[in-house]
Amino acid sequence: MLAYNPNSKFAPQFNDIASGKKPISDLFTLMQQPGFQLGRTDPNTDPQGRAFIYMLELAQMKYHLPKNTVTKILGGPLASAKSTQIFEEAALDSRLQAGQVDAASAYLSQAKQLHLKYISLPPDINLGDASFADTYAKASITITDSTGKDTKTGSPLTIDITTLIGAKDAAAGNAFVAYVLSPAGRALYKNQGGYTLLTPTLTGNASDVPASIRKEIGS
Amino acid sequence: MAASPTVTVTPPAPEGGGPGGAAVPRGLRYANRSLALAGTTIIWVALLGPVIALLTHLSWHDIKASLSAPGAFEPLILSVESGAVTLGVLVLLGTPLAWALARGTLPFPRVWEAGVLATLLLPPLVIGLLLVFMVGPFTPIGHLLSGLQLSATNTFLALVIAQVYESAPYYILGAQAAFGGVDPRLEQQAALLGDPPRRVFRRVTVPLAAPGLAMALAISWARAMGAFGAVVIIAYHPTALPLQIWTTLQETGLFSALPFALVLLVVALPLPLAAYIWSARARGRRRG
């Protein structure tokens, strides 16, 4: 989703889009307006920075926007870290709260925790719905990381949880993971972050996962 | 080295003819001195712990790999440039304030000093967050800057502003101490002999305060080169050296980030070190 500054000069347009008076596709022309101050994080270091770009790519496809829409909004090449739009994640949130950007990339959980105004995006571009995994995979970006150039493709935003092999107190680790995945643990996420976890899925060798944890995710 | 300050203190011998300085056995004095040396060494090595850890955890392979990446030295050049501009700003704006503080010519001097100390006390990260309120694009200053086609958000200017705020109190307090060490009677003498105030400042005050001023500059240079907290908030881009360490740490990990810490040390150390040596010599000469 996109968090926005309620005191921005573009606030009336944001409000109209957020309330559904104007279509979501308007958002992507609005973000190209001269003087529009967009804030996002570094796609080379931060998954949120990449997720935001995937979302723009998916929107460009979905709404059949002109081909240069994404680069126009980003003000340059996709993976460039040399952009004045890019901030450290904590700096970005505080900058939005201080009213010093018009809009910023954010996760829904952040927006709820920090009580930000935001525009919800449809599930086929917001990377939040696992059933659209195939659609998300159509978006991609090539970044530089420890392996050199690395092309990453869009995927549902997930939060992974695991225990360490050979941990000193493995039983406590397993108990913690089982609690996080239990109804009580998930309720805590809902109450604190205001969002529901995706249905937990298990990857890798199921027999490596302790029975107590498998029980919580029903597999 | 002939003028080392050993001549200054001669403790008076205790009264009553007790065991005076000369009566302490040579061996005991030697043991005492060794103990003191050992103690100082431990403190010094402990202080250097992080630097030692850095040097022992670097490998030639990592250094070569990190430093041969395209554009690896751009942040270094940027840091040196912005550091130099920062020092210029500090000298230009900090010196008059430091002089006024040292001479006590300001009303309510404690209030002025408390103000400088307040900026020293604030964590750099907090300074960065507050600078957003001050120079962000939608603030009066931000509007003014954009009228001049400038911006203090993710620009060279933002970098310099962050560095100035992180290093200014170190320079001002250091320069204040340096000016405070100049005997005002010497300035008065020069004035009596007909020198106008500006000339007195240039010919008497600054040369006498120079060793202390050099130290203050050296410390603020080191502060500016290492500035991170405020920089990461308002100048994520363009990438200065400390931020390069941070982004490399996140992009490719610890062992490719550490070589840049070595670069920071190698480049940022000579200037303050030279100032330190010169300042110590100048003081020694003056005493001798």
Side-chain angles (χ1 to χ4, degrees):
Chain A
M1 34 111 335
L2 186 85
Y4 66 91
N5 170 5
N7 299 316
S8 157
K9 63 178 167 181
F10 301 102
Q13 287 100 310
F14 286 137
N15 290 333
D16 284 352
I17 297 168
S19 65
K21 258 191 225 162
K22 294 254 179 72
I24 290 283
S25 55
D26 277 17
L27 183 61
F28 303 95
T29 33
L30 183 64
M31 284 197 279
Q32 296 174 50
Q33 294 295 311
F36 188 96
Q37 299 268 354
L38 174 68
R40 55 195 175 92
T41 60
D42 189 345
N44 295 289
T45 59
D46 186 24
Q48 188 195 114
R50 286 194 287 277
F52 183 73
I53 294 173
Y54 297 145
M55 182 277 287
L56 293 179
E57 291 181 283
L58 294 168
Q60 183 179 304
M61 290 182 239
K62 176 179 160 95
Y63 300 111
H64 307 288
L65 303 169
K67 272 214 163 75
N68 57 1
T69 300
V70 177
T71 44
K72 266 186 144 173
I73 291 173
L74 299 179
L78 263 53
S80 174
K82 297 183 177 180
S83 164
T84 54
Q85 296 176 342
I86 294 178
F87 297 93
E88 168 60 22
E89 188 170 347
L92 181 55
D93 291 338
S94 49
R95 197 165 271 271
L96 183 69
Q97 291 172 81
Q100 298 302 321
V101 282
D102 290 310
S105 73
Y107 295 126
L108 183 59
S109 55
Q110 274 174 301
K112 292 203 168 168
Q113 277 166 5
L114 302 174
H115 306 287
L116 306 174
K117 296 278 258 177
Y118 64 91
I119 294 171
S120 299
L121 300 165
D124 51 348
I125 67 168
N126 73 5
L127 305 167
D129 186 337
S131 62
F132 285 101
D134 292 344
T135 312
Y136 299 159
K138 288 177 194 158
S140 72
I141 178 174
T142 302
I143 60 156
T144 312
D145 65 9
S146 50
T147 57
K149 293 273 175 211
D150 189 6
T151 299
K152 304 241 178 200
T153 51
S155 60
L157 295 166
T158 58
I159 299 172
D160 300 322
I161 191 163
T162 189
T163 55
L164 295 179
I165 293 171
K168 274 192 191 135
D169 198 344
N174 291 338
F176 174 74
V177 173
Y179 174 74
V180 169
L181 298 173
S182 71
R186 289 191 228 178
L188 200 61
Y189 270 95
K190 198 174 174 82
N191 297 337
Q192 299 299 319
Y195 65 107
T196 315
L197 291 183
L198 296 177
T199 314
T201 51
L202 196 148
T203 56
N205 194 350
S207 62
D208 288 345
V209 177
S212 59
I213 295 175
R214 263 183 288 162
K215 195 188 89 192
E216 295 299 346
I217 57 181
S219 63
Chain B
M1 286 284 112
S4 26
T6 40
V7 281
T8 41
V9 185
T10 328
E15 277 179 37
V24 177
R26 188 168 275 268
L28 196 64
R29 234 190 309 167
Y30 179 73
N32 244 342
R33 202 177 290 176
S34 320
L35 210 65
L37 181 66
T40 349
T41 309
I42 291 173
I43 297 168
W44 187 73
V45 170
L47 197 62
L48 273 181
V51 177
I52 295 167
L54 171 68
L55 296 178
T56 50
H57 287 87
L58 280 174
S59 74
W60 280 117
H61 174 260
D62 290 331
I63 294 178
K64 257 193 268 174
S66 287
L67 303 189
S68 62
F73 287 101
E74 279 169 26
L76 167 67
I77 295 162
L78 180 74
S79 272
V80 171
E81 285 172 352
S82 60
V85 176
T86 297
L87 284 197
V89 172
L90 290 182
V91 169
L92 207 67
L93 304 181
T95 311
L97 178 60
W99 187 81
L101 286 172
R103 283 290 166 266
T105 52
L106 302 164
F108 309 110
R110 295 291 163 266
V111 175
W112 294 77
E113 278 166 12
V116 178
L117 284 172
T119 61
L120 185 63
L121 262 176
L122 283 180
L125 183 74
V126 176
I127 292 181
L129 292 170
L130 298 175
L131 280 175
V132 172
F133 279 116
M134 219 178 100
V135 299
F138 303 136
T139 60
I141 294 177
H143 281 300
L144 199 74
L145 287 173
S146 77
L148 300 165
Q149 305 295 317
L150 291 170
S151 155
T153 302
N154 282 342
T155 56
F156 184 79
L157 175 65
L159 177 59
V160 170
I161 291 175
Q163 287 182 338
V164 164
Y165 274 92
E166 282 202 38
S167 56
Y170 293 90
Y171 176 70
I172 293 168
L173 294 173
Q176 181 192 353
F179 288 133
V182 176
D183 190 342
R185 279 174 301 183
L186 293 173
E187 293 170 336
Q188 285 158 13
Q189 290 280 355
L192 280 175
L193 292 171
D195 274 355
R198 199 171 281 222
R199 200 173 147 101
V200 173
F201 185 75
R202 192 161 47 85
R203 298 281 302 272
V204 179
T205 314
V206 169
L208 284 174
L213 288 177
M215 277 307 296
L217 268 184
I219 291 171
S220 38
W221 165 260
R223 238 11 285 140
M225 288 296 284
F228 178 75
V231 174
V232 73
I233 303 292
I234 70 166
Y236 190 87
H237 166 79
T239 314
L241 196 45
L243 212 72
Q244 181 189 30
I245 297 174
W246 173 248
T247 52
T248 312
L249 181 68
Q250 295 191 59
E251 269 173 35
T252 52
L254 180 64
F255 291 101
S256 39
L258 287 181
F260 294 111
L262 182 68
V263 171
L264 181 68
L265 279 184
V266 168
V267 173
L269 200 57
L271 185 75
L273 200 62
Y276 194 87
I277 293 169
W278 177 77
S279 156
R281 285 220 178 128
R283 278 185 182 145
R285 258 203 310 280
R286 202 159 294 159
R287 269 199 216 99

